[in-house]
Amino acid sequence: MTIYGEIHRSTYYDSVALMLAQREARDLPGVEEVGVVMATDANKEILRAGGLEFPGLEGARADDLAIVARAATEAGAQAATAFAVQALTRRRVSATGDAYRPKTVSSAARALPEATIALISVPGRFAHSVAREALDAGLHVLLFSDNVPIEHEIALKAQSREQGLLMMGPDCGTAIIGGAALGFANRVRAGRIGLVGAAGTGLQEVTSLIHRLGGGITHAIGTGGRDLSSAVGGVTMLAGLRALDLDPGTDVIVLVSKPPAPEVAGGILAAAAVCSKPVVAAFVGATVEPAGAVQGAATLEEAACRAVQLARGTEASLPPSRSLPEGEARRLSAEQRYLRGLYSGGTLCYEALVLLRPYLGAVYSNSPADPAEALEPVTRSREHTVIDMGGDEFTQGRLHPMLDPTLRLARLRQEAADPETAIVLLDVVLGYAAHPDPAGALAPVVREVREQASREGRHLAVVGSVCGTDDDPQGAGAQRAALVEAGVLVEESNAQAVRLARLITEARGAQKARPSQKIVAASAAAPAWPEIGPISALLGRRPAVINVGLELFAESLQAQGVPVVSVDWQPPAGGKQHLLDLLDKLEG
Amino acid sequence: MGVGRALDLIPGMAPDLILHAGPPITWERMSGPLRGAIIGGLILEGRADTEAEAVALVERGEVRFEPCHHHAAVGPMAGVTTASMPVYIIENRAGGNRAYSNFNEGYGKVLRYGAYSEEVLARLRWINGVLAPAVGEALQRAGGLDVKALIAQQLTMGDEGHNRNRAGSATFGRLLAPHLARVGLAPETLEQVLRYFADNDLAVLNPVMAACKATMDAAHGIAGSTVVTCMARNGTDFGIRVSGLGDRWFTAPAAVPVGLYFPGFSSADANPDIGDSTITETAGIGAFAMAAAPAIVKFVGGTPAEAAAATLEMYEITVGENPAFGLPPLDFRGTPTGIDIRKVVRTGITPRINTGIAHRMPGVGQVGAGLVRPPMACFEQALEAMAEMAK
């Protein structure tokens, strides 16, 4: 094995571009390992730890690009680095031959005057100024970036409310506006149901299920995971609720979230109660007291069914489970007692937790419903464990599991080899910007681990669901078929998959604890409605988008025929913090 | 617009003073072409007969050096302006301020590139004795010329006003020709003067630079303003001045331009960036108006689309667009004008500059032309100074 590395001075790429290039180069024959990273101290340490140290690495700086490969031959390693460079510099060639790529939101807005939304996915510490520039330019914002300080979120949302603009995020992964899927979203039928969600895969699950039930949606507005916290106060959800209540295309409104801060939930529910349209509130893990226009839904599936029912006036439900839990349970050995959930979708994971805990007692997780059930270390499961593989612990320096299944597959092998594991619970999330064939990546490993278990005299139950539609680029039907073929018990929704897994576990004689669920109710007074004129205008037509950050999102919008201009974004002031501080000071 | 003698017109000009391009610099740190031009200037002024005498004069401390920019003047490349040289007078009618520049010598072995052979000096003497008085009288007869209108025209005719001035020089000559015919020159002399405009594509560069200088001086000294009012190079350092930061220079080592070289030369021969002609970019033409000049994009290695891209990029770091200077390929959008140090530092985009390339040895002259960018450090230092002032 030989190692070959290069430093490219003062060359920035975003982390996803780097990781995609790394993955592609790693797949070359004869190549063992590849590193394509910005040469920050942390990344240099990762390279050293991975045995990828090379001359020149030590002197590289945080704004230098480091590319290194370990391969069977020197030529192979060099070829892999060259390939990575090529993967990074590959650019879409636009048909117009227009060589210029705008460097700021304001010049992009000039290049695409009809733009209404800025889709921003730059690193969190730079997100505030980019989002502010977009709001200043009169654009609605979908801020995908995470790790944005909460005071920045509060300031951005205050500005958006002032201007009547929609500020989705930070940490907002999913939205569908005027038929355009932004970020990670599914291709769903147009219809009469509008959604506001603080939960990305929650929105994906509900919109996909609405589509599967024959319904359709107007808009799905994302708010970001912290919108319903006390500090932020539900600014975006309230604006979204108001906009959908006034939207002539929307007949039914669905709210989706993990349990909000009680006082924020109270205000939102009080506002929803006086809406002119029925509102289905699915606060996963909390029971919503009905009031006025509001009715609660215990699961994402139930929210979808109720919404379709309200929109059409006829009963809507998914076909019942065909698997027999007792039959599966009988095939398990005495040792096999525990359920292990390996999720790629954060909200789907959370839904699994809250649906399981009343029946199974403690469910350990890296995003636990109760701090007492925190999984330590996250690398080793304990009794019943449900893991969000998209959690920060797993995505440092790696792509999200919705994009790269490698880590989840490794964990699947690990869980399957544990003689205490009875059931593995999985999700498969489809849609724009997701992995092109997640079931295709999972299926062979599922088959392999089930065969391995059977050679060792165990039966391994694998239960899962596919979040997505037949219209998605991956095709939900084909994805389901591939999983079934590999021996996965594929259910119609995450809630049903969780239910089946739970029934199997119970049939094995699991303990039955029944902790009470949180109850949220409308407060006495509703907050004042914000002005939302520009949001109504946004929802009234198909959007045009300015993309800042991940090129993946611009490509997905282009594939949908949505006008999009990409900003050729670089970290401001070359990422030099003291200059950024001076700029912030001078620009007040 | 008129013509006069440097000593009579340029504020603070003196017989022992030599003005040069760029930020202040000592003889010890001067590059080859700047030293060569100073030697030539001293010989032209009759203060020395040989290179050795000129150097001795300097080393005895009998010559003072100051930037053109300290005296409302600008000069291309070495920018050497001596007391007896004729200069264009450009008046900013709105602001009432004036700016000055020497006459352009044309191509080949010329003083501004550091050449000072007898041939070079003979040409300068002809400019001083024949060309400048004739042009001055013609301008007087014409009642002056509107340089702003001339720049606007040349931008629509394929020039960017810095590296390419073919249309502008032709227009300049055309406007002067009928008046030159009446200033009483012998036919042979008139022919020489008209040939100067016919052969020298750079004839208009110097008055255009002075016009840009007059414009930017009017923008200088506004409290709190982060607009760059001067970018200039002396062949060793690149320097900028900022409106709200008084007369301080913010300097860093000048880079060697990237470009095309005349046959027999390469980047190994090139001197670091030199000249006050970056005043054109500072005022929003030159490389900032690159979209107007597709014919010269080869210097920046590109296509017409890339010429447009060069201008589009400059909008990212400027505060305004000059409605008087419309760019045909951009649907007459005004040129990007008023570089903001905050935008430069935030975006990491440094101004683009089109430039000639001088040989690093004195006496050789021009070896190519190309593209250069100022060092980011100039802008970072200025930003720090601005933040310090805002405290």
Side-chain angles (χ1 to χ4, degrees):
Chain A
M1 283 291 157
T2 59
I3 291 169
Y4 173 79
E6 294 173 359
I7 297 293
H8 296 240
R9 297 273 169 226
S10 197
T11 304
Y12 169 82
Y13 290 96
D14 71 64
S15 59
V16 171
L18 293 168
M19 290 182 279
L20 288 170
Q22 183 170 301
R23 191 179 70 182
E24 284 185 48
R26 196 191 279 139
D27 288 345
L28 293 176
V31 174
E32 191 183 75
E33 185 55 279
V34 174
V36 185
V37 294
M38 300 309 296
T40 59
D41 287 344
N43 284 335
K44 286 198 272 193
E45 196 44 55
I46 289 170
L47 291 184
R48 278 186 214 109
L52 289 171
E53 176 128 41
F54 63 94
L57 178 64
E58 190 50 48
R61 293 166 313 198
D63 47 2
D64 296 337
L65 170 66
I67 304 182
V68 54
R70 187 168 65 229
T73 63
E74 176 82 13
Q78 285 187 9
T81 60
F83 188 83
V85 171
Q86 200 198 348
L88 284 171
T89 51
R90 205 183 296 139
R91 282 254 188 264
R92 288 173 297 111
V93 181
S94 74
T96 57
D98 186 359
Y100 188 67
R101 302 183 75 224
K103 309 292 192 295
T104 55
V105 171
S106 48
S107 74
R110 175 142 190 147
L112 186 66
E114 70 269 33
T116 47
I117 300 179
L119 200 173
I120 301 166
S121 51
V122 302
R125 74 184 176 107
F126 304 123
H128 174 236
S129 64
V130 181
R132 191 177 57 184
E133 193 188 354
L135 292 173
D136 286 346
L139 295 165
H140 305 275
V141 171
L142 190 154
L143 184 53
F144 178 83
S145 314
D146 54 10
N147 296 313
V148 175
I150 196 152
E151 57 273 18
H152 287 174
E153 175 167 358
I154 292 167
L156 289 169
K157 288 193 169 171
Q159 184 181 352
S160 73
R161 183 167 48 191
E162 189 79 14
Q163 296 176 259
L165 294 168
L166 193 56
M167 176 70 222
M168 298 182 277
D171 205 6
C172 175
T174 298
I176 303 173
I177 304 289
L182 302 159
F184 295 98
N186 302 89
R187 187 161 168 190
V188 296
R189 192 180 302 106
R192 311 290 295 174
I193 301 167
L195 302 92
V196 193
T201 45
L203 275 182
Q204 286 196 265
E205 175 84 345
V206 178
T207 53
S208 295
L209 291 174
I210 287 171
H211 175 97
R212 299 234 330 262
L213 290 161
I217 72 146
T218 47
H219 312 280
I221 297 168
T223 69
R226 285 190 310 220
D227 189 61
L228 298 179
S229 65
S230 304
V232 182
V235 173
T236 304
M237 185 163 278
L238 195 63
L241 180 63
R242 178 62 169 169
L244 291 177
D245 197 33
L246 297 181
D247 176 33
T250 299
D251 292 340
V252 177
I253 299 169
V254 180
L255 305 180
V256 185
S257 174
K258 292 182 186 179
E263 76 279 12
V264 180
I268 294 287
L269 290 174
V274 297
C275 277
S276 61
K277 301 165 183 177
V279 179
V280 178
F283 292 157
V284 174
T287 304
V288 174
E289 291 269 288
V294 178
Q295 46 184 292
T299 63
L300 300 169
E301 179 190 335
E302 188 187 332
C305 291
R306 277 179 182 257
V308 172
Q309 222 162 294
L310 286 163
R312 285 206 311 226
T314 56
E315 177 110 358
S317 63
L318 293 167
S321 174
R322 287 174 302 269
S323 305
L324 295 172
E326 294 78 8
E328 284 291 314
R330 270 199 300 277
R331 300 173 65 188
L332 298 168
S333 72
E335 269 183 295
Q336 290 182 280
R337 279 171 300 179
Y338 296 122
L339 179 154
R340 301 284 155 83
L342 302 176
Y343 274 88
S344 61
T347 308
L348 299 177
C349 175
Y350 195 79
E351 183 180 54
L353 280 176
V354 300
L355 291 179
L356 289 168
R357 290 175 74 249
Y359 299 96
L360 303 184
V363 178
Y364 293 91
S365 177
N366 58 332
S367 64
D370 179 330
E373 294 163 26
L375 185 65
E376 280 289 347
V378 293
T379 48
R380 250 197 22 248
S381 298
R382 166 178 181 197
E383 298 169 22
H384 298 304
T385 294
V386 175
I387 302 170
D388 175 11
M389 299 294 296
D392 291 345
E393 309 87 342
F394 299 103
T395 53
Q396 288 290 348
R398 287 186 165 273
L399 289 174
H400 193 277
M402 275 158 61
L403 288 167
D404 181 357
T406 314
L407 212 55
R408 187 156 74 145
L409 295 177
R411 186 68 177 239
L412 173 57
R413 289 195 174 95
Q414 181 187 325
E415 301 299 343
D418 181 346
E420 292 196 326
T421 302
I423 302 154
V424 176
L425 182 57
L426 299 168
D427 65 345
V428 168
V429 182
L430 312 182
Y432 291 107
H435 188 282
D437 181 14
L442 271 172
V445 180
V446 169
R447 197 174 292 123
E448 166 203 318
V449 298
R450 292 187 81 239
E451 282 165 5
Q452 178 67 28
S454 132
R455 276 196 294 278
E456 290 164 12
R458 284 178 284 125
H459 172 73
L460 188 67
V462 181
V463 182
S465 67
V466 173
C467 172
T469 73
D470 285 338
D471 292 346
D472 275 326
Q474 302 88 348
Q479 292 284 304
R480 247 180 243 117
L483 294 175
V484 169
E485 173 73 31
V488 181
L489 304 170
V490 180
E491 293 294 295
E492 298 291 321
S493 70
N494 183 53
Q496 287 198 19
V498 173
R499 182 172 167 275
L500 175 61
R502 189 252 298 172
L503 289 173
I504 299 170
T505 320
E506 283 182 342
R508 280 288 299 116
Q511 69 172 90
K512 296 187 189 187
R514 291 186 191 270
S516 63
Q517 270 223 329
K518 266 184 248 178
I519 295 174
V520 286
S523 52
W529 288 122
E531 288 300 323
I532 52 112
I535 304 177
S536 290
L538 168 73
L539 302 185
R541 60 192 156 105
R542 195 163 166 81
V545 178
I546 289 171
N547 184 58
V548 193
L550 306 183
E551 202 54 31
L552 187 69
F553 291 150
E555 284 161 14
S556 141
L557 287 164
Q558 277 182 326
Q560 299 173 62
V562 175
V564 58
V565 163
S566 277
V567 172
D568 185 12
W569 185 84
Q570 297 285 317
K576 294 176 189 164
Q577 193 57 48
H578 84 283
L579 291 173
L580 280 171
D581 293 343
L582 295 183
L583 283 167
D584 286 345
K585 188 177 144 202
L586 283 172
E587 290 166 4
Chain B
M1 179 181 178
V3 171
R5 195 169 68 128
L7 185 62
D8 306 331
L9 289 168
I10 292 181
M13 193 63 196
D16 67 335
L17 180 62
I18 291 186
L19 303 184
H20 63 81
I25 187 166
T26 57
W27 174 258
E28 290 69 37
R29 295 186 66 242
M30 281 182 194
S31 65
L34 181 49
R35 285 184 175 202
I38 284 167
I39 291 163
L42 288 169
I43 298 172
L44 181 73
E45 290 293 319
R47 299 186 61 199
D49 285 330
T50 63
E51 177 189 330
E53 279 181 37
V55 172
L57 205 60
V58 170
E59 286 175 349
R60 284 202 303 276
E62 291 179 26
V63 185
R64 292 188 294 134
F65 303 112
E66 284 179 20
C68 296
H69 270 287
H70 291 189
H71 296 270
V74 278
M77 302 312 287
V80 163
T81 306
T82 58
S84 71
M85 280 187 184
V87 290
Y88 287 102
I89 311 155
I90 306 290
E91 188 174 65
N92 167 19
R93 290 217 182 110
N97 62 308
R98 288 181 163 195
Y100 307 90
S101 74
N102 55 9
F103 273 61
N104 196 285
E105 309 153 78
Y107 291 106
K109 290 206 163 189
V110 286
L111 189 77
R112 68 175 189 281
Y113 278 94
Y116 53 84
S117 63
E118 184 45 40
E119 171 195 354
V120 172
L121 295 166
R123 174 82 168 165
L124 286 168
R125 288 187 193 106
W126 175 79
I127 288 173
N128 291 8
V130 178
L131 176 70
V135 170
E137 205 172 321
L139 277 170
Q140 206 164 16
R141 291 180 63 90
L145 275 183
D146 185 342
V147 187
K148 185 172 166 185
L150 197 155
I151 293 170
Q153 283 182 57
Q154 73 173 128
L155 293 178
T156 64
M157 294 164 73
D159 286 351
E160 37 70 281
H162 183 174
N163 262 27
R164 184 181 157 100
N165 286 284
R166 196 179 182 86
S169 295
T171 306
F172 190 30
R174 188 179 77 160
L175 292 168
L176 287 177
H179 304 287
L180 285 167
R182 305 293 298 179
V183 301
L185 298 173
E188 296 75 23
T189 310
L190 178 60
E191 185 197 335
Q192 286 173 359
V193 170
L194 290 175
R195 189 166 293 288
Y196 170 85
F197 289 100
D199 291 348
N200 183 3
D201 284 347
L202 295 171
V204 85
L205 173 63
N206 300 36
V208 163
M209 283 171 54
C212 292
K213 171 67 175 165
T215 306
M216 297 322 293
D217 275 357
H220 192 73
I222 296 167
S225 170
T226 47
V227 167
V228 175
T229 50
C230 164
M231 296 194 288
R233 324 81 107 194
N234 57 31
T236 304
D237 302 317
F238 197 109
I240 67 166
R241 292 168 116 182
V242 176
S243 180
L245 290 171
D247 290 334
R248 293 172 65 182
W249 287 90
F250 300 92
T251 63
V256 171
V258 177
L260 294 179
Y261 287 86
F262 299 157
F265 295 104
S266 73
S267 58
D269 301 309
N271 195 72
D273 199 18
I274 184 167
D276 285 337
S277 54
T278 32
I279 194 68
T280 54
E281 278 83 9
T282 316
I285 58 171
F288 283 48
M290 196 66 180
I296 60 160
V297 295
K298 289 300 172 195
F299 282 130
V300 291
T303 59
E306 282 165 2
T311 294
L312 289 171
E313 187 186 48
M314 294 300 99
Y315 289 113
E316 310 268 14
I317 56 168
T318 46
V319 294
E321 299 175 12
N322 189 338
F325 297 160
L327 296 167
L330 300 181
D331 198 17
F332 291 93
R333 186 174 177 188
T335 54
T337 304
I339 301 158
D340 186 336
I341 55 169
R342 294 171 304 172
K343 294 187 174 194
V344 172
V345 173
R346 185 175 283 285
T347 60
I349 301 169
T350 44
R352 288 171 178 267
I353 294 164
N354 293 343
T355 191
I357 305 173
H359 199 284
R360 57 191 171 77
M361 302 303 290
V364 180
Q366 186 174 10
V367 294
L371 177 79
V372 72
R373 299 213 194 214
M376 180 58 92
C378 297
F379 299 90
E380 293 180 351
Q381 289 163 24
L383 186 83
E384 281 164 0
M386 189 59 84
E388 188 67 30
M389 250 178 107
K391 263 183 192 164

